[in-house]
Amino acid sequence: RAIAEACRAARPGIEISAAVWRTPASGREKVLQDYPAWIEAGWCDFVCPMIYTKDRAVFSADLGAILREVPAGRVVAGIGVYLGDDEKIPVEVAAALAPDQIAAGRAQGIAGFGLFAYGSFHATADTDGGYQGKDAARLARLRGARRAALVAGPLANAGER
């Protein structure tokens, strides 16, 4: 509350968000985040639940749990794109994970999406970012396939946050 009040006093009209646990129940139980109450009290304008999973059914179920407590227009779902970096997953399947979850979220009417992490789309200067020892050629193909799948598909006419 104090952070929201200080930010709004310093910059009226600012939108305040919070990256939060994947469902309201797990947020309250595991990390003391009662983010539906934060939205209701006006301390946050929108939340970004970190729904990091490879499974569309789990993504949709978690999103459904969120939407039972938070209005859809206040949800910007976090998608764990990096989970497809697992070398056991074919490049085509890994590249389709984010577009598939974006489609699931749009079907439920949420405000937008956050894609984690940058290194899943572009090479970084961070040599200790979890990419050491990975097949560099496969990773380059995967990054390109992800960008192409998003630009040609769900981001072609994006108007979300």
Side-chain angles (χ1 to χ4, degrees), residues 117-136:
Y118 181 85
S120 296
F121 296 99
H122 301 282
T124 69
D126 181 6
T127 58
D128 193 26
Y131 296 104
Q132 288 181 325
K134 300 232 178 200
D135 178 341

Side-chain angles (χ1 to χ4, degrees), residues 15-42:
E15 284 193 297
I16 298 174
S17 66
V20 296
W21 213 250
R22 65 187 304 137
T23 66
S26 63
R28 283 188 288 268
E29 294 164 12
K30 295 181 181 183
V31 292
L32 304 178
Q33 292 180 338
D34 189 1
Y35 58 89
W38 302 349
I39 290 285
E40 189 174 323

Side-chain angles (χ1 to χ4, degrees), residues 21-24 35 47-53 55-79 100-113:
W21 213 250
R22 65 187 304 137
T23 66
Y35 58 89
V47 291
C48 306
M50 298 175 283
I51 314 174
Y52 300 163
T53 179
D55 187 322
R56 182 181 182 158
V58 171
F59 180 87
S60 294
D62 285 354
L63 189 53
I66 294 161
L67 296 178
R68 284 191 286 281
E69 298 189 49
V70 178
R74 303 287 184 110
V75 177
V76 175
I79 296 174
D100 187 51
Q101 291 179 2
I102 288 171
R106 282 188 174 152
Q108 295 190 54
I110 65 173
F113 309 89

